[in-house]
Amino acid sequence: MKVTTKCIRKKKGVEKISMITAYDAMFARLADEAGVDIILVGDSLGNTILGFESTVPVTLEMMAHHVRAVARANTNAMVVADMPFAVAHKSFDTVLDACAELVRSGAQAVKIEGGAKMAEKIGCLVEAGVAVMGHIGLEPQQVLKLGGYRKFGKTPEERQKLLKDAAELQKAGVFSIIAEMCDAEAAKELSASVDVPVIGIGSGPDCDGQVLVFADALGLTQTPPSFVKRYADLRAAVIGAYSNFVSDIKNGIFPERK
Ligand code: KIV
């Protein structure tokens, strides 16, 4: 049965939510077979798959192309698509059109970075019928301004800001919130402060769920963030397999004549 926003909301306090990124049909199918609740077509597409330095250069067209690929996997898992930086800060009409494009491409919900500062726009989107997931703490789309990635919520001021961001997003009607790179104690307080599920990444164990970038979880990235748990070592496995392929060709072992 297809996971919906209602299913995700109902999991709060009952069952932890699992979420992983996928950018194509093959890995979306694999995540779905494993029973993942939410597949995120994240704009981490930019640095994970497309070779950019960050998520900033990702466009709506790139997002829609990969959302369509994931949607073709026809998963039970809910499909959430990131609103790219290039669009998120434009006018409400433009952002609504972008949501429509992502939904037409197969997303059930759209994730938008930014807390209180984005709440008014998100409220209008929800009013219009868009299912929105919030994203606070580290906002990777702000990396150029921040000058790098770091933890949030270590100081009382930042902790208060996180709580305010979450409260405003909840008021705006989001069905869940991503808390990225938040101090673990702050994330715990944050999760307890709202009724919607808070899904953490690099934010400790006390959130209502966890999300990872698939390439980090599968050990495909060379230097994953320190909070990542690697569930496989696919980088070594793939390089090993390709090396065998190359050597078989060079040595005339593959293909066999028969
Ligand atoms: O784009 C992405 O993959 C994300 C996750 C890191 C939450 O936003």
Side-chain angles (χ1 to χ4, degrees):
M1 216 175 59
K2 191 80 179 172
V3 176
T4 63
T5 52
K6 196 170 162 191
C7 307
I8 296 302
R9 278 173 173 275
K10 278 167 99 177
K11 287 187 194 290
K12 177 137 185 149
V14 176
E15 180 196 325
K16 296 264 187 179
I17 297 161
S18 58
M19 176 166 169
I20 194 119
T21 67
Y23 317 97
D24 59 34
M26 178 184 280
F27 278 89
R29 268 187 212 114
L30 294 172
D32 198 46
E33 273 192 44
V36 163
D37 295 310
I38 306 176
I39 293 175
L40 172 65
V41 188
D43 59 356
S44 52
L45 165 69
N47 37 327
T48 308
I49 299 292
L50 300 181
F52 294 126
E53 287 280 314
S54 73
T55 60
V56 175
V58 174
T59 64
L60 180 63
E61 289 67 31
M62 292 172 195
M63 286 303 306
H65 175 74
H66 286 270
V67 170
R68 284 194 291 272
V70 166
R72 275 179 220 118
N74 212 3
T75 59
N76 284 328
M78 175 178 212
V79 176
V80 178
D82 254 326
M83 178 62 62
F85 166 77
V87 182
H89 301 281
K90 290 195 170 164
S91 70
F92 172 74
D93 287 355
T94 305
V95 178
L96 181 60
D97 284 349
C99 289
E101 174 66 13
L102 293 171
V103 169
R104 265 196 305 274
S105 302
Q108 287 160 268
V110 174
K111 176 163 79 59
I112 300 181
E113 286 186 18
K117 69 180 180 211
M118 298 300 281
E120 193 183 335
K121 199 182 269 176
I122 289 175
C124 295
L125 291 171
V126 174
E127 189 69 25
V130 183
V132 180
M133 178 181 272
H135 184 147
I136 60 176
L138 173 68
E139 298 167 29
Q141 292 175 1
Q142 300 297 310
V143 66
L144 298 178
K145 188 175 81 188
L146 289 169
Y149 302 110
R150 70 168 177 88
K151 208 90 178 166
F152 283 76
K154 281 184 173 171
T155 62
E157 295 73 30
E158 278 197 1
R159 207 178 264 216
Q160 280 315 309
K161 182 180 179 311
L162 284 175
L163 291 173
K164 181 168 185 282
D165 281 341
E168 297 262 329
L169 287 177
Q170 170 164 269
K171 212 163 104 200
V174 299
F175 72 95
S176 63
I177 299 172
I178 297 285
E180 180 162 1
M181 292 285 282
C182 294
D183 170 78
E185 277 307 308
K188 183 178 178 181
E189 194 181 346
L190 169 64
S191 305
S193 73
V194 286
D195 296 331
V196 293
V198 172
I199 303 175
I201 173 162
S203 300
D206 294 311
C207 300
D208 303 302
Q210 297 291 329
V211 53
L212 283 178
V213 169
F214 93 106
D216 294 337
L218 296 182
L220 282 165
T221 25
Q222 228 166 340
T223 48
S226 57
F227 60 79
V228 167
K229 178 168 175 184
R230 301 174 86 183
Y231 288 87
D233 190 4
L234 289 198
R235 191 167 190 278
V238 171
I239 294 173
Y242 283 166
S243 305
N244 290 339
F245 173 65
V246 170
S247 122
D248 278 4
I249 293 170
K250 305 276 179 208
N251 296 312
I253 294 169
F254 173 80
E256 292 174 33
R257 200 150 295 280
K258 69 180 179 196

